[in-house]
Amino acid sequence: MGGTIAAVSSNGAYSFTKPNRDSITLLAGLGVEGDVHAGTTVKHRFRMEKDPSQPNLRQVHLIHEELFDEVREAGFEVAAGELGENVTTRGIDLLGLPVGTRLRLGGEAVVEVTGLRNPCAQIDTFQKGLMKQVVGRGEDGTVRFKSGIMSVVVTGGAVRPGDSIEVELPDGPHLPLEIV
């Protein structure tokens, strides 16, 4: 099972959106080189206020490009990088992956999935009403967050649009993703 990388994005300053790049470099244990969220401890402003010593489980943010197709049907226009993700994917059910899944991005880089991204109020600031599109309900009525997944970098390397993505599921019982 696999897919492709549709876009890569990074930003050295705190900003909701991240500009697309020709490539990004992932650094083992840190995240995206030059990105404001790179580091061994949390870099998200809200989380730093609570406890700046927490481990950074949100080094690389991935979103499935299919989400943009879905919100377009509801009248919203969202492009790669505009929801703050570093890697935009195509062809993989990111939200269905279990914790601990490893994704090989291109020829070298490997990230390990840590959990779901929790959608924040900035999504509605970006486009009024968009938050309702990225937070839904499952068939059983449970809340479903659709704004991507978070990961940590296991093996560094360059990542580019068009690169392949290989999925390696973890051994043992598969744990569903929760917010990190």
Side-chain angles (χ1 to χ4, degrees):
M1 129 173 79
T4 58
I5 296 172
V8 294
S9 310
S10 67
N11 197 339
Y14 281 105
S15 173
F16 183 69
T17 62
K18 295 185 180 197
N20 296 153
R21 308 288 182 192
D22 293 332
S23 70
I24 57 174
T25 301
L26 302 186
L27 303 173
L30 294 173
V32 179
E33 182 177 43
D35 191 81
V36 69
H37 292 106
T40 58
T41 57
V42 293
K43 300 301 174 197
H44 187 274
R45 288 178 179 171
F46 175 75
R47 295 177 194 292
M48 288 189 325
E49 286 177 16
K50 289 175 83 174
D51 180 1
S53 68
Q54 294 175 73
N56 187 1
L57 301 178
R58 302 164 56 99
Q59 294 174 0
V60 181
H61 176 198
L62 299 94
I63 282 186
H64 51 296
E65 191 175 45
E66 292 85 352
L67 176 64
F68 304 152
D69 300 337
E70 184 182 323
V71 300
R72 189 174 297 111
E73 290 177 18
F76 295 89
E77 284 298 322
V78 180
E82 289 186 334
L83 294 183
E85 78 276 11
N86 301 110
V87 178
T88 309
T89 68
R90 168 95 31 210
I92 295 178
D93 176 13
L94 294 177
L95 304 177
L97 297 173
V99 172
T101 298
R102 290 194 172 191
L103 302 173
R104 178 175 293 280
L105 308 176
E108 303 171 2
V110 177
V111 298
E112 185 171 303
V113 176
T114 56
L116 293 169
R117 175 207 185 179
N118 58 321
C120 65
Q122 289 185 35
I123 292 174
D124 259 355
T125 303
F126 174 67
Q127 287 186 40
K128 184 106 176 108
L130 183 58
M131 176 74 105
K132 190 173 183 178
Q133 300 302 313
V134 299
V135 177
R137 296 239 176 234
E139 290 181 16
D140 61 357
T142 59
V143 175
R144 287 193 63 227
F145 297 106
K146 302 185 278 185
S147 57
I149 64 171
M150 306 309 286
S151 64
V152 294
V153 181
V154 177
T155 305
V159 180
R160 296 173 185 81
D163 282 352
S164 64
I165 304 170
E166 295 176 26
V167 178
E168 181 185 323
L169 297 174
D171 294 332
H174 290 175
L175 303 174
L177 299 177
E178 295 183 10
I179 290 175
V180 293

